[in-house]
Amino acid sequence: MFYLLLITNLITFATFAIDKWKAVKHKRRISELFLLTLTFLGGTVGAVLAMLIFKHKISKKSFLLKFVLIVSIQLIIIYFFQKYYHY
């Protein structure tokens, strides 16, 4: 599980970095839906790091709202599994 999350976060970080590069170069961008999907699938840490390091998507309120919603859903899921499936 650790390696799966590590790979997911590296892919998410790289995808956010590529999107930032494309934004600067005025090239065709990666969709927000794809960025948010990667985040939802476990790339939250990679997304946060990329957003902070590259100053990417941090001033777009609609993206941040969706991002916070995804992180909240993840926290609820983690809480549920911790509470009901604790070994």
Side-chain angles (χ1 to χ4, degrees), residues 23-72:
V24 170
K25 298 291 184 183
H26 303 288
K27 301 215 180 243
R28 188 160 190 243
R29 305 280 301 279
I30 298 168
S31 74
E32 285 187 0
L33 178 62
F34 187 70
L35 295 173
L36 291 168
T37 300
L38 286 174
T39 302
F40 181 76
L41 294 176
T44 306
V45 174
V48 169
L49 288 175
M51 289 168 70
L52 294 174
I53 291 170
F54 303 117
K55 306 275 191 270
H56 189 48
K57 299 283 189 189
I58 57 175
S59 62
K60 190 167 183 185
K61 300 233 186 274
S62 64
F63 182 84
L64 288 176
L65 181 64
K66 294 170 194 167
F67 186 82
V68 168
L69 180 65
I70 286 172
V71 172
S72 299

Side-chain angles (χ1 to χ4, degrees), residues 1-14 38 42-43:
M1 186 65 144
F2 172 77
Y3 292 114
L4 180 62
L5 283 174
L6 179 65
I7 291 168
T8 303
N9 279 285
L10 289 173
I11 291 170
T12 304
F13 182 86
L38 286 174

